[in-house]
Amino acid sequence: MNTLPSSAPSHPTEPVVTRRALLRAAAAAPVLALPALSRAQQAPASTSFVPQVGQQGKDVIWVPTPDALVDRMLRMAQVTPNDFVVDLGAGDGKIAIAAARDFKCRSLGVEYNPDMVGVARRNAEKAGVANLAKFEQGDIFAFDYSAATVVTMYLLPGLNLKLRPTLLKMKPGTRLVTHQFTMGSWEPDDSTTVDGRPGYLWIVPASVGGGWKLATTDARGTSEANASFTQVFQNVTGTVRMSSMEGRMRAVKLSGDRIVFDLMDDRGVLRSYDGRVVGDRIEGSTRAADGATGTFVAQRTGAATPVDAGRD
Ligand SMILES: C[S@@+](CC[C@H](N)C(=O)[O-])C[C@H]1O[C@@H](n2cnc3c(N)ncnc32)[C@H](O)[C@@H]1O
């Protein structure tokens, strides 16, 4: 039977309630821990470390995410064989292993505890995915995981917040999925509960806040405008100035590097814009209300505003 530490180790700034939540999850999860234990017990003497649910970790204890939620988290992120999934704080490796086994993609688990790295590597061997699922000993706050296209986490709210600035600098469109804990005022793009346990998805938004010069070209000719986006995470509003007209963009939606919005020009023509943000440039297509199609290019005119707008 697994025993839990009498006091829950965690980040010193974590509220007691989140430590209790993890421990409750640990107490409810002994069955989930059993496969890892029996696998470890069968291992040769040199690799006989037996993980205990609730054991100390550097910044958070080890509690495995239940299989059904692991599957749901990876599906929320729409993992494909082209992805590279990185699990921050990998424990026994089950998320990275599931990504490789069920979604045929490369994966990496970063884990501080070297004994758990050994357990995870052996579990990947047993699952037949050691070629795709790798594990490295490291501290998630020092490790470079910028090549990931999907990042998974079962940490603590304060740890998620501490990681958030780094996560927000990842390539736009990178998917982040967490078990149980959120990202402060950064609202998730999707959420789920599986057997009462919450999972959340965020899509790293491109940086669009600030001023842009917008050129729109279609059969009516080319028109130029000064546009400005106000951004708080993935939430964006926009305004535009064209000759003597000032107006508001309608239905602005940013998802990763894709931005769409509607805009009425100074001649009263309403167009839908659909573009991709690449650094300081946005390029895409337009469709006027009468069906006429065209293209647009936007170029930054000033400094980008911070994506998190100074929140939290
Ligand atoms: C709650 S468990 C989650 C395990 C796994 N991701 C899952 O969902 O099944 C958190 C894991 O993070 C590890 N950990 C804690 N602090 C860490 C740090 N700074 N760097 C790397 N791993 C860490 C712990 O050892 C533990 O295995």
Side-chain angles (χ1 to χ4, degrees):
M1 187 66 189
N2 300 320
T3 51
L4 298 178
S6 53
S7 69
S10 80
H11 190 273
T13 61
E14 291 306 334
V16 171
V17 65
T18 57
R19 277 181 261 151
R20 285 206 189 115
L22 264 177
L23 279 170
R24 264 201 309 276
V31 175
L32 292 159
L34 284 178
L37 284 172
S38 55
R39 277 196 298 271
Q41 280 158 349
Q42 288 158 13
S46 59
T47 55
S48 60
F49 173 76
V50 178
Q52 302 288 321
V53 172
Q55 73 192 13
Q56 289 258 7
K58 178 176 174 285
D59 293 300
V60 58
I61 59 175
W62 173 56
V63 180
T65 298
D67 292 348
L69 182 55
V70 169
D71 183 70
R72 181 71 184 184
M73 286 164 67
L74 295 171
R75 287 185 194 283
M76 274 208 298
Q78 298 200 280
V79 173
T80 75
N82 296 327
D83 278 309
F84 176 39
V85 173
V86 174
D87 186 29
L88 297 180
D92 66 359
K94 65 186 302 180
I95 295 183
I97 290 168
R101 184 190 59 221
D102 303 336
F103 298 86
K104 314 289 175 226
C105 67
R106 286 187 313 122
S107 61
L108 174 69
V110 183
E111 170 59 49
Y112 194 79
N113 181 335
D115 288 324
M116 291 303 277
V117 174
V119 169
R121 284 181 180 152
R122 291 193 291 282
N123 287 344
E125 291 274 351
K126 283 174 196 143
V129 293
N131 58 327
L132 285 176
K134 307 286 182 191
F135 295 92
E136 287 191 34
Q137 192 280 327
D139 186 332
I140 55 173
F141 294 104
F143 200 91
D144 178 5
Y145 50 90
S146 57
T149 57
V150 174
V151 177
T152 61
M153 287 160 278
Y154 181 21
L155 299 168
L156 286 168
L159 302 183
N160 290 358
L161 266 190
K162 202 169 153 192
L163 289 168
R164 198 176 77 180
T166 307
L167 296 168
L168 278 167
K169 285 194 195 98
M170 294 187 78
K171 192 168 181 281
T174 303
R175 288 91 80 210
L176 318 174
V177 274
T178 68
H179 170 184
Q180 189 156 359
F181 300 118
T182 58
M183 294 269 182
S185 62
W186 184 9
E187 292 288 325
D189 292 288
D190 195 5
S191 64
T192 188
T193 50
V194 177
D195 299 328
R197 287 163 178 263
Y200 300 96
L201 167 81
W202 292 261
I203 299 170
V204 174
S207 163
V208 297
W212 298 78
K213 180 74 84 184
L214 173 67
T216 306
T217 304
D218 61 14
R220 292 177 168 90
T222 296
S223 59
E224 295 211 331
N226 290 309
S228 176
F229 291 115
T230 301
Q231 175 170 23
V232 183
F233 302 111
Q234 69 273 54
N235 302 312
V236 177
T237 55
T239 56
V240 70
R241 202 153 39 80
M242 243 176 175
S243 56
S244 62
M245 183 275 306
E246 277 189 53
R248 178 190 281 268
M249 295 179 188
R250 306 181 195 179
V252 186
K253 176 131 182 57
L254 176 68
S255 181
D257 65 353
R258 183 174 179 210
I259 188 161
V260 299
F261 53 90
D262 292 348
L263 176 59
M264 183 175 279
D265 72 10
D266 55 351
R267 289 182 288 178
V269 179
L270 181 64
R271 293 182 182 82
S272 294
Y273 289 69
D274 187 339
R276 297 263 167 209
V277 186
V278 182
D280 290 339
R281 198 173 162 85
I282 309 175
E283 274 187 51
S285 58
T286 62
R287 176 177 285 272
D290 63 4
T293 56
T295 58
F296 79 96
V297 176
Q299 194 70 43
R300 261 195 196 285
T301 54
T305 59
V307 170
D308 69 2
R311 302 288 165 105
D312 298 312

